Amino acid sequence: MNFDLSRRGVLAGTVAAALSVVPAASAAAASPRSDARARLRDLETSYDGRIGAFALDTATGATVTYRAHERFPLLSTFKALAAAAILRKARRCDPGLLDRLIRWTAADILPNSPITAQHVDTGLTVAQLCEAAITVSDNTAGNMLLRQLGGPPGVTRFAGELGDPVTRLDRTETDLNIWSPGQLSDTTAPAAVGRDLAAVTVGRALVAEDQARLIGWLRGNLTGGARIRAGLPPTWTVGDKTGSGPTYGSANDIAIAWPPSAAPLILAVYTNRNAADAAFDNHVIATTATILAQALGKL
């Protein structure tokens, strides 16, 4: 089932406009997107890697894209989709799910699990696990959410229900972060996941109450300060979910961002470097966010 984005000022239907095919009413009208493409190409060259980018202006439906249909490792950005899937499951077929207490053992605790590591004896509710998975990218919390969805295929199914045939999750934390070029498992494309984020935050995939709860978790994220948030003015309100991997300098960020007194933008930035042992670069993600916002005329 496809969810259109007609609510809250978003144009009806799925919108897709690659930089290379944006109609040019005039040279001046085309220049911001053409300039964005050139700047991202230069940034890629200096970065010695690959950048995938998607931005949607929810007020007009205008998009800016760069390598937006190429596959990149999903990494921990899956946790935003998992939380959205949990919210919809609780609403549609499992009342009480969000308040259900989940327990685990010390053997379940993974690296980067700052919240769940403190609650081995007490457990947490599913809602608290959603918050931990998004706001601090708690890996054990992410796996506990996957258990409520029937494992990683639950995220793939949810993406498919949003009209996304690309995004797939095949493994749990932390194995899902091991990626190499050409790999299909545990990957997405910026345009696909960007439209998924739009569907669950400003579209019709979730009811308004659940959208607000998800957006609250995204706005409370503590891991994205150096990424998309850093590339936008401090007067903007941003909710995001990051992902980072140990191979090929993989690093991502997806966000919903509100300029002052304006409809939000949806941004998805995915990166990897050419060398297997390279470190990720937050500055590249921040700079890409700036370029996308400028191309949409918001900066």
Side-chain angles (χ1 to χ4, degrees):
M1 179 177 183
N2 290 310
F3 294 92
D4 71 48
L5 307 180
S6 58
R7 288 200 325 185
R8 302 179 187 179
V10 185
L11 294 183
T14 302
V15 291
L19 285 168
S20 59
V21 298
V22 172
S26 67
S31 62
R33 290 174 174 82
S34 299
D35 180 62
R37 186 177 185 85
R39 291 171 67 191
L40 289 172
R41 187 184 301 114
D42 290 344
L43 185 61
E44 268 190 333
T45 300
S46 64
Y47 164 65
D48 191 28
R50 190 171 58 121
I51 299 169
F54 171 86
L56 165 69
D57 183 343
T58 65
T60 66
T63 60
V64 178
T65 70
Y66 185 83
R67 296 192 190 275
H69 300 287
E70 296 183 16
R71 285 189 179 271
F72 290 80
L74 187 57
L75 308 177
S76 283
T77 57
F78 90 85
K79 292 167 183 169
L81 294 181
I86 289 286
L87 287 166
R88 195 168 71 163
K89 180 180 180 181
R91 179 69 57 180
R92 291 189 170 185
C93 63
D94 194 356
L97 173 60
L98 292 172
D99 295 323
R100 190 168 300 149
L101 185 67
I102 305 299
R103 295 184 180 275
W104 51 90
T105 70
D108 294 315
I109 297 297
L110 299 168
N112 190 43
S113 298
I115 304 299
T116 50
Q118 298 177 27
H119 293 275
V120 173
D121 294 333
T122 61
L124 292 169
T125 67
V126 172
Q128 289 171 324
L129 289 169
C130 287
E131 183 175 12
I134 292 179
T135 60
V136 296
S137 206
D138 189 297
N139 284 329
T140 303
N143 281 352
M144 295 302 109
L145 295 183
L146 291 178
R147 290 184 183 181
Q148 307 309 308
L149 298 171
V155 172
T156 307
R157 285 192 299 271
F158 180 67
E161 291 167 0
L162 298 178
D164 171 4
V166 177
T167 300
R168 55 182 288 177
L169 190 68
D170 300 86
R171 294 170 293 175
T172 59
E173 291 282 13
T174 55
D175 290 343
L176 66 89
N177 299 312
I178 306 301
W179 174 86
S180 59
Q183 178 179 317
L184 294 179
S185 58
D186 305 301
T187 59
T188 189
V193 74
R195 293 190 183 98
D196 292 345
L197 184 63
V200 298
T201 56
V202 298
R204 293 178 174 173
L206 301 179
V207 302
E209 179 182 347
D210 295 338
Q211 284 183 343
R213 194 163 196 177
L214 177 63
I215 288 170
W217 291 330
L218 293 169
R219 288 178 59 176
N221 178 36
L222 300 175
T223 67
R227 295 190 181 177
I228 286 176
R229 294 172 186 253
L232 301 175
T235 54
W236 288 35
T237 299
V238 180
D240 73 310
K241 181 67 198 84
T242 60
S244 305
T247 58
Y248 291 93
S250 303
N252 315 326
D253 201 8
I254 59 175
I256 178 169
W258 289 263
S261 304
L265 307 183
I266 301 293
L267 300 99
V269 181
Y270 283 70
T271 66
N272 68 267
R273 306 191 83 163
N274 293 328
D277 60 350
F280 62 74
D281 189 335
N282 289 330
H283 178 69
V284 167
I285 297 176
T287 302
T288 299
T290 302
I291 292 169
L292 294 174
Q294 289 173 336
L296 287 174
K298 302 301 178 180
L299 294 177

